[in-house]
Amino acid sequence: MSQEQSRRPEDQKEPVKYGDVFPGVQGAELAEKVVTPKDAAIMQAAENAVLGHTLKGGAASIMQSAATENEKAGVVGSSDVNADVVGDGVSVKEADLPGRRIISESIGGQVVGQYSQRAPLAAPNTIQPVGGSAGQITIGEALEATAMTAGQKPVEYSDAAAIQAAEVRATGRTNIVPGGVAAAAQSAATLNARATKDEEKTKLANILADATSKLPADKPATRRDAEGVTGAEMRNDPFLTTHPTGVAASVAAAARLNENNSNEGLK
């Protein structure tokens, strides 16, 4: 221990933790967790998926600043992620009130931010009926979110299988779309399997960054879609698992948010 201390620079900063940037989580287990770049990317993807943009001054931008400091200090790596963030960990919800929009962001069940924005009063003929598809996250958007949460991951056969399953469900076609995301992913996985260096491999971001434009049709993600994509990714993984921030995780997160939004609309 003394040797470690002697090697540590005297001016090394303490890592930025969630409790340092989100006072509302003080006393919770999350408060002691160090903010990582991957955490910030997942929150940013959730904001983009639900709001259509990154919220100025929101949780994602706060986390990104903290994560950048931690990465510069060498206390976290670019691929580090907290268990509180993956899976059901991140939640971004909107509630529309007359003339106002309330946005709530949570991590691991802890509210980290709540913001109020002005919203124009909708004309009667522009109000979407309950059960409509307005505000629903599509499968294509979920694929694009993966480019942010796991963009630097080399494409593997499990990723290609998950992307193909997502494309089939988005388009309703049983065959791969020529020039589509599934075809590109399958080609990348085959070439990556032969590559010897990681820098030579095609990454998920290269395939999924503009996924919606490559899909001839798209649809809101559902729980059944998520189950199909998850099954495809697991069956083609040597360890029968899914990547914590990969394709299946993004589609599942989109499906959960869609389901939550639909349930909110029925209340």
Side-chain angles (χ1 to χ4, degrees):
M1 180 65 71
S2 61
Q3 289 180 345
E4 290 182 6
Q5 291 175 342
S6 65
R7 290 196 299 267
R8 180 180 298 174
E10 293 183 359
D11 60 347
Q12 183 173 346
K13 297 180 180 179
E14 287 292 319
V16 182
K17 301 177 181 178
Y18 279 94
D20 299 325
V21 292
F22 298 122
V25 305
Q26 290 288 352
E29 185 178 346
L30 179 64
E32 296 304 313
K33 300 292 179 64
V34 177
V35 185
T36 75
K38 190 71 74 175
D39 292 354
I42 293 173
M43 178 59 80
Q44 185 177 2
E47 287 185 358
N48 285 331
V50 176
L51 308 175
H53 60 87
T54 301
L55 187 64
K56 185 177 181 181
S61 63
I62 293 172
M63 291 165 65
Q64 186 60 59
S65 297
T68 299
E69 283 191 39
N70 287 337
E71 193 170 16
K72 286 181 178 178
V75 294
V76 295
S78 60
S79 61
D80 290 343
V81 63
N82 280 300
D84 303 74
V85 178
V86 298
D88 296 322
V90 168
S91 172
V92 179
K93 294 183 179 180
E94 286 183 294
D96 289 322
L97 302 175
R100 306 294 298 177
R101 177 178 293 115
I102 307 300
I103 301 168
S104 297
E105 299 185 288
S106 303
I107 297 175
Q110 298 292 319
V111 176
V112 296
Q114 194 167 63
Y115 318 93
S116 175
Q117 297 180 340
R118 287 185 178 181
L121 292 173
N125 62 350
T126 64
I127 298 176
Q128 291 287 339
V130 173
S133 61
Q136 297 283 287
I137 306 166
T138 68
I139 292 174
E141 290 169 337
L143 291 176
E144 290 185 350
T146 310
M148 302 177 63
T149 59
Q152 295 309 303
K153 179 185 184 297
V155 182
E156 299 176 353
Y157 289 118
S158 57
D159 302 313
I163 293 169
Q164 180 178 346
E167 181 182 272
V168 166
R169 290 179 172 275
T171 63
R173 301 183 180 185
T174 57
N175 60 309
I176 295 179
V177 178
V181 286
Q186 186 61 54
S187 176
T190 301
L191 293 174
N192 285 352
R194 300 170 184 167
T196 57
K197 299 179 180 178
D198 276 351
E199 55 267 27
E200 297 174 350
K201 297 182 179 181
T202 302
K203 309 299 192 296
L204 280 173
N206 303 129
I207 304 297
L208 300 177
D210 55 351
T212 53
S213 66
K214 297 177 182 177
L215 293 173
D218 203 358
K219 64 181 281 291
T222 67
R223 181 184 297 184
R224 182 165 294 184
D225 297 326
E227 290 172 352
V229 174
T230 298
E233 187 170 324
M234 288 182 66
R235 285 193 301 271
N236 290 273
D237 182 87
F239 301 104
L240 298 177
T241 61
T242 60
H243 191 277
T245 58
V247 177
S250 292
V251 177
R256 282 193 301 271
L257 289 168
N258 287 344
E259 193 171 74
N260 289 340
N261 289 339
S262 295
N263 291 338
E264 289 292 329
L266 294 173
K267 291 182 180 178

